[in-house]
Amino acid sequence: MELLEIKNLVVQYSVGRDVVQAVNGISLTVKEGATIGLVGETGAGKTTTALSVMGLVPNPPGKVKSGEILLDGEDLLKKSNKEMRKIRGKDIAMIFQDPMTSLNPVMTVGEQIMEVIQLHEKISRQDAQKKACEMLELVGIPGQRYGEYPHQFSGGMKQRVIIAIALACNPRLLIADEPTTALDVTIQAQVLDMMRRLKETYKTAMILITHDLGVVAEVCDQVAIMYAGEIVEKGTLEDIYESPRHPYTIGLFQSIPDLDVESERLNIIPGMMPDPAALPEGCNFCERCQHATEQCKKQPPVVRLSDTHEVQCFLAQDEKGGE
Amino acid sequence: MLHGGNPVQHKLYMEIEEGKQVLRYIAKRILMMLPILFGITVIVFTLMYITPGDPAYAILGENATPEQVMEIHKEYGLDDPYLIRLGRYFAGVLQGDFGTSYKTGRPVFTEIMDRYPNTLKLALLSTLLGVVIGVAAGIIAAVKQYSIFDRVGTIISLFGVSAPSFWVAMVLVLLFSVKLKILPATGTYGPQYWILPVFTLGLQASTSIMRMTRSSMLEVIRQDYIRTSRAKGQSEWKTIMHHAFKNAQVPIVTIIGIRICGFLAGAVLVETVFAIPGLGKYIIDSVNFKDYPVVQGGVLWIGLNCIVINLLVDIVYCFIDPRIKSMYSNKKKAAAVGTGGASNG
Amino acid sequence: MADSRNRKRKKTSQAAEIWKRLQKNRMAMAGLCTLIVILLLSLFGPLLSPYDYAAQNFTDRLMFPCASHLFGTDNFGRDILTRILVGGRYTLFITFVCITSAAIMGSALGLLAAFYPKMDNIIMRLVDILMGIPTMLMCVSIVAALGSNMKNMMIALAVTQSPEFARIMRAQVLTIKDREFMEAASSIGCSNGRIIFRHIIPNALAPIIVQYTLGAVSVILMSASLSFVGMGVQPPTPEWGLMISAGRDYLRDYWHIAIIPGLAIVVTAFALNMLGDGLRDALDPRLKQ
């Protein structure tokens, strides 16, 4: 069953006279209960994609130009503000990157969890309070700490509170935007582990946004690689990890330092991501790609390698054609 | 946990702890304001002490005989050294005795109390008006940044902080008393007499409160937790009021405190234009009469008021932002831990 | 050699960047232009005026604005426009002198407090006390003690404006002092004086400049207020606040005598406020990208 379908989404930011192509016609499908990892460098358009699904692209300067975002077949982009409010927090919830700043400093954490429950469920104050306590316990925080303020919690605990807020109404889709980037490495593992456990218990589908391929391997069953506002390759975890085809994906894997192989220097991808306000014609990656040829100056085709594996590159087409 | 696992018990415990924290905090603030009060007294006394001219002539008139002057000097202790007079003044102030008016011979404190209610009434009513208009306009301007309302509001508020209050007062008198003849211009004979003075100061207060509200709200609206609130599906209005405004309040409360203090002292101008017998006008008149005990007492009294207002503002901070409250209690705890460690070592 | 040249280039480019950002702000530029016009008018305007600002002319008393007297005349038949132009000189002179001396005194105190912990307590308590009394009242007390005239009013204004500078300077220095480049400077043997003038002051300048413009506004308003209640500039000097005060008795029938000089105050303060707001935005490091 398809829960969420993103079709040809285009999002632009206009800063002064510049138009920044943040998301450039991406398509993505999330099945119920599945976890998809959205991987890419900073500025690749991952967060903008997530915010579009939430209907929270800051406007101005951002604007969804075209495309469809279907939840259960209904286009979210066509819904009114009021309808979207009923979906946000209930059907789709989001975990933000920085737990330090994502909680309101002048409200107790309990109230902040209770707020989302009261918004979406018709229950009494007492019951909402009780449920908020339960949510705290669920993410491993003693329910007594209901009345404490965010500044009394550590970063990892705050992220747990944010996860409790996101899961409080049992959403069907959870979008986690780099949920562990701001945390210490040891805490990262704990939080990730907890997220995976809760996701399995509640059968929540998840879009996990990250730049960390290790995290993806642990949590996700599908992967989409984003580069400069486009999805350059997507497939199952095996497809991407066993047989990556796009030169950018291959580069990403090679840039992970390998402890077994002694090497003089890290294998980094040369160059930088193109200025999103002035994207090159054709393949966005071609300036950094060692396999680039003349034809890469044209828009590369999306090549279906299997039922699950797609890649947007001439190289794959040539190879497939040659078979 | 030491205090048991029962959430109700725990909550009670927390509330008692918090109450203690707030009390400690208030006590600390009161201790901190004593030296400032002391300093103000010394400065005000000294300024009046160095004033040229013999106060005896202020009491007796210009054609007093030398004998009379001598007598007055003895009676008021005017020939005593500076420190003795300062000490005497202090002792008096501590007992609520601000000295005697040279002009009327009545206690300065009584004279002040005759006028103080007028000034306080004017200051509080104007501030109230200013808060109502300023906060509302500031929030709208911030939420609708760059809209027509924001642009026009910004220019009007800039105008408000650029216009002297006595001039605004005169413009209002010209419009509403002279031209339209709907409101009285001077005096304090009934509620309608307060409308123009309160509007003069209130509009002025609203402009600075609006500017502060706007910039504070703009700062807060950009924060991540506002996005969190929207992501919960919270309505825009509640996101602004519950999440943004509550976080934007500290600077707004600060400017309100500053405004009330400013009005207690600065109302002198408006009091002059509208002929309101208030404290500020009384102080200025007393300067002209060289009635220095009154000037001393009046300045000290308003200074005391301002200190109390600042204290109240600090206490309000505590209730707005839990971080400020715990900042004070934690510092103490940290210090205690530090000394404990030192003595053990 | 190369190093100092580099630094100079960097400094000028920083100033140039701030100037560029300020130029983009239309309100700030309007304020700056208005101020320049006001300055030129009060410097040269009185020379061009056919009237003497002090000459009384009883046949032309209480004239409303007309062709020969653009802003009318007052109760002594003096041309109000000429008096406003001359008054502008006083206002600009008072403002410049007061706020400049307040900035120098205050910054020096702030520097002392930040560098010598022993002085810190004394200076900051003094600042607290001075700020504990509302400005207007402090000015009145000082003028009462020294006597009501322009010089004493200026002393009072400079004294009451300086604590804010001391506070800002101290806070700035304390934050800058902790930064690494300060350690670097002292580790290569820079003297205290050199550190203060080459490193700290340039870095602390931004908020001081903003406070300078905003403080200038309050000096303008405060000096007019003090003169209005008779505790500042004394008649017959054509100070703006004093002119409003003199026109108060004629408000009912000859409103222009009081209201027009007030407009001069409003326009000047408004222009300074616009410039100050623009400067604050242009100097705000958070807006730098």
Side-chain angles (χ1 to χ4, degrees), chain A residues 19-93:
Chain A
V19 175
V20 175
Q21 296 276 3
V23 174
N24 216 346
I26 68 162
S27 301
L28 194 66
T29 309
V30 185
K31 290 196 169 59
E32 241 167 283
T35 300
I36 183 160
L38 202 53
V39 184
E41 291 168 71
T42 310
K46 297 165 293 172
T47 303
T48 306
T49 309
L51 289 176
S52 320
V53 175
M54 295 291 288
L56 288 177
V57 175
N59 180 16
K63 197 167 186 337
V64 178
K65 289 304 257 195
S66 61
E68 288 176 323
I69 299 175
L70 306 174
L71 182 77
D72 294 328
E74 285 182 58
D75 192 352
L76 296 182
L77 295 176
K78 293 208 175 77
K79 290 201 181 287
S80 68
N81 268 334
K82 208 174 157 197
E83 288 168 317
M84 272 313 284
R85 279 209 294 273
K86 283 188 187 139
I87 293 169
R88 282 203 286 268
K90 170 136 186 65
D91 294 309
I92 311 174

Side-chain angles (χ1 to χ4, degrees), chain A residues 47 51 54 56 85 88-90 92-94 96-98 101-107 111-113 115-116 119-120 129 144-145 147-149 151-152 165, chain B residues 1 3-7 10-11 14 18 223-236 238 242-244 246-247 320-323 325-326 330:
Chain A
T47 303
L51 289 176
M54 295 291 288
L56 288 177
R85 279 209 294 273
R88 282 203 286 268
K90 170 136 186 65
I92 311 174
M94 187 158 172
F96 293 103
Q97 184 170 0
D98 190 354
T101 55
S102 293
L103 288 174
N104 185 340
V106 304
M107 266 169 99
E111 283 168 346
Q112 296 188 52
I113 300 173
E115 188 185 8
V116 68
L119 274 170
H120 298 292
Q129 217 161 355
Q144 305 160 337
R145 302 194 67 178
E148 291 183 25
Y149 290 94
H151 71 272
Q152 292 162 298
I165 292 173
Chain B
M1 297 230 156
H3 38 270
N6 184 341
H10 179 83
K11 201 172 171 222
M14 291 291 293
E18 266 178 27
Q223 301 292 322
D224 286 349
Y225 48 80
I226 299 304
R227 197 177 51 182
T228 306
S229 166
R230 291 192 182 125
K232 285 177 186 174
Q234 186 60 279
S235 70
E236 201 52 35
K238 280 194 172 163
H242 286 187
H243 293 274
K246 212 174 166 214
N247 277 284
I320 296 173
D321 194 331
R323 284 169 299 181
K325 188 162 58 187
S326 57
N330 285 347

Side-chain angles (χ1 to χ4, degrees), chain B residues 47 52 158 162 167 170 211 219, chain C residues 145 259 262 270 273 277 286:
Chain B
L47 280 174
L158 205 56
S162 307
W167 181 77
M170 285 161 78
R211 277 161 66 86
E219 183 83 40
Chain C
I259 302 301
F270 193 88
N273 264 327
D277 276 10
R286 276 174 307 173

Side-chain angles (χ1 to χ4, degrees), chain A residues 226 314 317:
Chain A
M226 266 189 101
F314 283 108
Q317 191 189 37

Side-chain angles (χ1 to χ4, degrees), chain C residues 70-81:
Chain C
L70 283 179
F71 287 172
T73 60
D74 66 5
N75 51 321
F76 293 111
R78 297 174 295 198
D79 181 54
I80 290 178
L81 175 60

